[in-house]
Amino acid sequence: MAEEISRERADYLAEAFCSEFVDFCRIRPGTIRRGYLESSLEVGPIHLQQDGVVHAGVISTMADHSAGYATFTVIPEDFQLLTVEYKINFFRPVRGEMLLCRSRVVKEGMRILVAESEVYERMEGEEAFAAKATVTLTAVYKEKMPESLRSAAE
Amino acid sequence: MAEEISRERADYLAEAFCSEFVDFCRIRPGTIRRGYLESSLEVGPIHLQQDGVVHAGVISTMADHSAGYATFTVIPEDFQLLTVEYKINFFRPVRGEMLLCRSRVVKEGMRILVAESEVYERMEGEEAFAAKATVTLTAVYKEKMPESLRSAAE
Amino acid sequence: MAEEISRERADYLAEAFCSEFVDFCRIRPGTIRRGYLESSLEVGPIHLQQDGVVHAGVISTMADHSAGYATFTVIPEDFQLLTVEYKINFFRPVRGEMLLCRSRVVKEGMRILVAESEVYERMEGEEAFAAKATVTLTAVYKEKMPESLRSAAE
Amino acid sequence: MAEEISRERADYLAEAFCSEFVDFCRIRPGTIRRGYLESSLEVGPIHLQQDGVVHAGVISTMADHSAGYATFTVIPEDFQLLTVEYKINFFRPVRGEMLLCRSRVVKEGMRILVAESEVYERMEGEEAFAAKATVTLTAVYKEKMPESLRSAAE
């Protein structure tokens, strides 16, 4: 129904995706199309907690960030997004070599948008469902950002 | 009603708190007592997203991790914790110099425990309420960890 | 800091509180002041599920509705509220004679407001903490309601 | 992979579904199979709030209850379920004639199970996505119910 995003927009979003903290966490964008985004992460020692399992904070960052960028594909280019809240369920301790995240917009709008992220771990060629998040966002006109951020959030 | 945790237990938890990913995020433990834990984080460039605001993943990691360690203070020493799920609301874009997190256990038990984290940003001596999380955990007997993790999570 | 609500506004909200479904659930408003509202419910057979425990839907309706009316006290009178989402944790099966709910606004604003509800059961004079909810709302200008509801929610 | 539930079990669950409060809310079970349950509700005056919209508590009760009964189909018959927590997003004010709920188990286990419910409103033959919930449950051995309820929840 809605048209696909342009190649330029997809490239712009893929680049903007890799901000400081996300780069630091080594989360990489993959397939991106209107209302959908995939990302991946190669698990390394920095992602672990004391018991050798991937820290929930890594999985959460991936789920939240990917949901946000999936949502960027359905709003006008002169709008910015703010995460209002999210909820994430963890299904298993993650010890795999790779994490994959698939994010989909489930509710479009301007005031309130909702996306879901499913995180899978890949180990020895098998995928296992590791976590699922529901993310609520709000879109803010970019020119108004400093002020709007304030009025939106205060 | 319940007695305070031992100095040894508090020291052990403060050390275990700083695992790989948490150390990488520069989150530090502070006051720790039965059912309560504070943590702090000095904001640096690695914590930011593309617009200069602290990434929600940093705030989430702090809220989740601190809630988990507050909860460690109310379970027997031979049990481990797993985060079942959490939900976090963000109240404002965070640009402050410092983040402070205060976590409290609100529901004790063994099968299901619940803790809350309040995250504040400090800027020029003022504190502002930035985020609030509710975290659900389950306690698993440590000896049974590999198997219990499996049965708990599969 | 913010002034108290007028007696007229409090009376109006207490009356509006008792809409069809809420009346049907027998949830009654109590103390109401700026950013805060209490409600109560006398448990009867209609509130139970098959095992004699109060249905989670009753507790949720009370928590959500009371949070909404607590939030009405901090917005202009010509605005309407919509619940964006909520999350609720249940701490114990409820068999008490009475439910009490205390709701507080934790984040003011117009675009996004957040309130929390704590539900207690009272049995033989004792109160026990039964459930806690976090509710996210958005305020919409009443004149624009039909249209705004649409643009807010579609 | 897992076998279908027996006709007797399906009939038993469909009957148990209609407990006091659910019957009062006029929520009816529909298709039921392993890991999946549908329910429906004909909207009447008792379901409304002051502005003529279906109360969020009705939608929540339907989403939570249906998720619980979808989950009953994947646990042994001598176990009982407790809702640990749930989160629900509302996508639009509901004014339709009929509500439909489709619930699916997304994570099996005994200690922690997770199900999702999607609620649709039907109006003039069209369906619109109205709400989505994620529900976390725990299974308790029935014989131990009074005690287990206590240990699970206190």
Side-chain angles (χ1 to χ4, degrees), chain C residues 124-138:
Chain C
E124 295 164 16
E126 301 270 311
E127 273 190 26
F129 197 7
K132 177 146 188 185
T134 305
V135 185
T136 307
L137 305 109
T138 189

Side-chain angles (χ1 to χ4, degrees), chain A residues 14-149:
Chain A
E15 202 185 309
F17 185 96
C18 300
S19 62
E20 286 285 2
F21 186 65
V22 166
D23 196 46
F24 177 71
C25 290
R26 303 185 195 166
I27 305 166
R28 308 277 174 249
T31 301
I32 177 165
R33 51 172 194 265
R34 195 179 188 288
Y36 181 78
L37 182 137
E38 286 177 10
S39 62
S40 63
L41 176 160
E42 213 168 305
V43 177
I46 61 146
H47 299 112
L48 305 182
Q49 57 185 44
Q50 65 286 3
D51 54 2
V53 162
V54 174
H55 198 285
V58 175
I59 299 168
S60 304
T61 300
M62 189 180 202
D64 164 40
H65 194 74
S66 301
Y69 274 79
T71 308
F72 264 122
T73 66
V74 305
I75 60 166
E77 301 188 13
D78 48 359
F79 277 72
Q80 185 56 270
L81 286 171
L82 294 173
T83 300
V84 171
E85 62 84 41
Y86 71 82
K87 181 251 207 285
I88 183 163
N89 274 71
F90 301 98
F91 300 148
R92 45 187 301 136
V94 170
R95 306 173 184 282
E97 303 137 12
M98 189 86 148
L99 291 185
L100 302 167
C101 179
R102 299 185 182 108
S103 302
R104 273 175 199 83
V105 177
V106 294
K107 170 69 187 68
E108 297 195 25
M110 286 308 289
R111 186 184 276 258
I112 300 295
L113 304 100
V114 181
E116 291 183 348
S117 291
E118 298 189 343
V119 181
Y120 297 83
E121 64 168 328
R122 188 180 286 164
M123 189 148 60
E124 297 166 14
E126 302 269 313
E127 272 189 28
F129 196 6
K132 176 145 190 187
T134 304
V135 185
T136 307
L137 305 108
T138 188
V140 181
Y141 185 44
K142 232 182 225 172
E143 295 268 307
K144 287 200 184 165
M145 260 312 258
E147 201 179 300
S148 292
L149 272 178

Side-chain angles (χ1 to χ4, degrees), chain C residues 16 25 28 37 49 55 57 63 86 95 97 100 120 130 140-141:
Chain C
C25 290
R28 307 277 175 249
L37 182 137
Q49 56 185 44
H55 198 286
Y86 71 83
R95 304 173 185 282
E97 302 137 14
L100 303 167
Y120 298 83
V140 182
Y141 185 46

Side-chain angles (χ1 to χ4, degrees), chain D:
Chain D
M1 58 205 194
E3 55 191 287
E4 209 30 73
I5 57 168
S6 69
R7 174 65 184 270
E8 287 69 29
R9 180 69 169 159
D11 288 348
Y12 168 78
L13 291 175
E15 201 184 309
F17 185 97
C18 300
S19 61
E20 287 285 1
F21 186 64
V22 167
D23 195 47
F24 178 71
C25 291
R26 301 183 198 169
I27 305 166
R28 307 279 174 248
T31 301
I32 176 166
R33 52 174 192 264
R34 196 181 186 288
Y36 181 80
L37 183 138
E38 287 177 10
S39 62
S40 63
L41 178 159
E42 213 168 306
V43 177
I46 61 145
H47 299 113
L48 305 181
Q49 56 184 43
Q50 65 288 1
D51 54 3
V53 162
V54 175
H55 197 284
V58 174
I59 299 168
S60 303
T61 298
M62 189 179 201
D64 165 40
H65 193 75
S66 302
Y69 274 79
T71 308
F72 264 123
T73 67
V74 305
I75 61 166
E77 301 189 13
D78 49 358
F79 277 72
Q80 185 57 272
L81 286 171
L82 295 173
T83 300
V84 172
E85 62 86 40
Y86 71 82
K87 181 250 207 288
I88 183 164
N89 274 73
F90 301 98
F91 299 148
R92 47 189 296 136
V94 169
R95 305 172 185 281
E97 303 136 13
M98 188 86 146
L99 291 185
L100 302 167
C101 178
R102 299 182 183 110
S103 302
R104 273 174 199 83
V105 178
V106 294
K107 169 70 186 70
E108 296 195 25
M110 287 305 292
R111 188 182 276 257
I112 300 296
L113 304 100
V114 182
E116 292 183 348
S117 290
E118 298 188 344
V119 182
Y120 297 82
E121 64 167 328
R122 188 179 287 164
M123 191 149 57
E124 296 166 16
E126 302 269 313
E127 272 189 28
F129 197 7
K132 176 146 189 187
T134 304
V135 185
T136 307
L137 305 108
T138 188
V140 181
Y141 185 46
K142 233 181 224 172
E143 294 267 307
K144 287 200 185 164
M145 261 311 260
E147 202 179 300
S148 293
L149 272 177
R150 197 159 294 266
S151 69
E154 272 174 8

Side-chain angles (χ1 to χ4, degrees), chain A residues 24 60 85-87 91 153, chain B residues 24 60 85-88 91 153:
Chain A
F24 177 71
S60 304
E85 62 84 41
Y86 71 82
K87 181 251 207 285
F91 300 148
Chain B
F24 178 71
S60 303
E85 63 85 40
Y86 71 82
K87 181 251 207 289
I88 184 164
F91 299 148

